[in-house]
Amino acid sequence: MAIAIRRSSNGKIATPPALATIAPVALDHEQVVVRRGERSGLYSVIAVHSTVLGPALGGLRIWHYPDQGDALRDAMRLAAGMTLKAAAAGLDLGGGKGVICAPPDGLDGAHRRAALLDFGDLVESLDGRYITAEDVGASPADLIVVSQRTSHLTGLPPDRGGSGDPSPFTAIGVEAAIRACVAERWRYGGLAGRTVCVIGLGHVGAGLARRLADAGCEVIVSDIDPGKRALTDALGATWREPGEAMLTECDVLVPCALGGAITADNVDSLRCEVVCGSANNQLAADSLAEALAERGILYAPDFIANAGGLIHVFMELKGYSEEHAVELAEGIEETLGRVFAVAAQLGSTPLAAARELADRRLRSALRD
């Protein structure tokens, strides 16, 4: 079964009646496709938010959701964030996202392969409007399977002609963003001696924690997987249990797990001066940017801070140079500095300023 939504020539979107029973969400995307895989029986979602600047690029997320409506909402929200991320980073890309709805007990073996092949067929059906890559729950090995059904992907392992894992470049960019935040908050860009709390020790979070430790930070770490606690000894870090990590006293809170970490319930209890991490959609609602500002907490918009991975896979599409990819990822420090300057000029939050910078580029492209 497939459900497709596409913006018509008059700019309106017709919603198939069946979709209303899956996810009652507001739609401002160019195209959303939901299909149940013939091989796996699992639902896949691809959301194409915008192709104004170029094909929509966004990673494949393999995750278990309570229902398909949650998966649809997640894909659409993340796709919109990718549009902003690419525009703000100056990349000729639009925003998209892919999701495979995994079963509660995980997705392994032949069933995983079947789901990945189904997803590859769905990507191929969009004729290049969407380019997929690696995201939460997926790996370069998974992309190899997807590549058997479509060529519209990036981030394959180097031995398959790709640029490999983008997570080190995301970590480089977030570290650069933290430097910009420290310079803005304390008028000094050095990281040495700053206390940082990294929540989520996946590929990006663990790599970032190492980089921050090497930069002389006092590092606090946390993860829902207790097995990640072993990293504390290697880094000389301090461990916090997941339930208390968000409210840890620190200079910089670094959310690197899934989105929605900052909520109306915890925003008034945060004990940090800066929030800057790699997770997408760290704010459960955009209005929380105002709440953070009212508390004097500097927030680095996630779609600016975590753009290093997108830059990495974009470079693969254009002709890969690791040196150039690192240079562009480190340039996030300068980009975020501009965001803070625009926020000061407009008297707005950094989130509003970042959106304005991205929207200017999108408006310019539409005029052209």
Side-chain angles (χ1 to χ4, degrees):
M1 183 185 77
I3 299 172
I5 312 162
R6 191 158 188 170
R7 191 181 298 276
S8 65
S9 59
N10 64 7
K12 296 182 179 180
I13 296 176
T15 306
L19 187 64
T21 65
I22 296 176
V25 293
L27 300 175
D28 62 352
H29 294 55
E30 291 181 9
Q31 188 173 9
V32 181
V33 183
V34 182
R35 179 183 292 177
R36 187 172 185 175
E38 293 181 1
R39 301 175 186 84
S40 66
L42 298 176
Y43 282 100
S44 293
V45 180
I46 293 177
V48 175
H49 181 257
S50 172
T51 57
V52 169
L53 296 174
L57 192 151
L60 164 63
R61 176 165 291 191
I62 303 175
W63 198 253
H64 170 65
Y65 296 88
D67 60 55
Q68 288 86 358
D70 291 331
L72 184 59
R73 281 185 287 271
D74 200 26
M76 293 174 68
R77 187 178 70 252
L78 291 166
M82 292 298 293
T83 296
L84 294 173
K85 186 184 300 189
L91 306 179
D92 296 329
L93 292 172
K97 207 70 179 181
V99 165
I100 293 175
C101 301
D105 55 351
L107 189 57
D108 296 305
H111 198 195
R112 186 180 190 90
R113 176 178 173 79
L116 292 165
L117 292 172
D118 287 338
F119 182 76
D121 286 338
L122 187 57
V123 173
E124 184 65 19
S125 73
L126 298 184
D127 297 323
R129 286 174 54 80
Y130 168 70
I131 300 171
T132 197
E134 180 185 346
D135 192 39
V136 173
S139 69
D142 291 328
L143 291 182
I144 292 174
V145 179
V146 175
S147 73
Q148 295 177 27
R149 305 301 302 173
T150 184
S151 61
H152 302 301
L153 77 172
T154 182
L156 286 168
D159 63 357
R160 297 298 181 111
S163 57
D165 183 5
S167 62
F169 295 83
T170 304
I172 289 169
V174 177
E175 182 188 6
I178 292 173
R179 286 198 301 269
C181 290
V182 170
E184 178 70 14
R185 168 59 71 215
W186 291 284
R187 300 302 170 186
Y188 169 64
L191 299 183
R194 293 294 169 192
T195 303
V196 298
C197 181
V198 180
I199 301 175
L201 298 175
H203 291 304
V204 175
L208 179 58
R210 291 188 185 96
R211 296 186 67 89
L212 294 172
D214 290 343
C217 292
E218 296 181 18
V219 179
I220 301 166
V221 295
S222 180
D223 195 279
I224 58 173
D225 178 2
K228 300 290 180 68
R229 187 166 187 162
L231 186 63
T232 58
D233 292 335
L235 298 180
T238 301
W239 176 265
R240 288 284 186 276
E241 293 300 325
E244 61 186 39
M246 282 296 296
L247 305 185
T248 294
E249 184 174 0
C250 58
D251 293 322
V252 185
L253 186 67
V254 188
C256 293
L258 296 179
I262 296 174
T263 69
D265 292 333
N266 67 21
V267 67
D268 289 332
S269 301
L270 297 180
R271 302 167 67 198
C272 60
E273 299 208 37
V274 171
V275 174
C276 179
S278 68
N280 289 307
N281 302 310
Q282 292 163 34
L283 306 183
D286 285 353
S287 60
L288 293 167
E290 294 282 356
L292 288 171
E294 289 171 2
R295 292 205 55 216
I297 297 174
L298 182 65
Y299 171 62
D302 48 64
F303 62 86
I304 301 289
N306 65 14
L310 178 62
I311 289 168
H312 168 71
V313 294
F314 174 75
M315 290 297 299
E316 180 180 323
L317 297 174
K318 295 299 182 180
Y320 188 68
S321 162
E322 181 172 331
E323 182 179 357
H324 194 196
V326 170
E327 179 183 348
L328 291 175
E330 290 181 339
I332 289 173
E333 180 175 359
E334 181 180 346
T335 301
L336 190 53
R338 288 202 305 273
V339 168
F340 292 146
V342 170
Q345 180 183 8
L346 299 178
S348 70
T349 65
L351 178 59
R355 288 184 182 277
E356 174 58 24
L357 286 174
D359 287 344
R360 284 180 193 173
R361 186 158 182 255
L362 291 165
R363 290 194 299 266
S364 177
L366 284 170
R367 286 194 299 269
D368 295 342

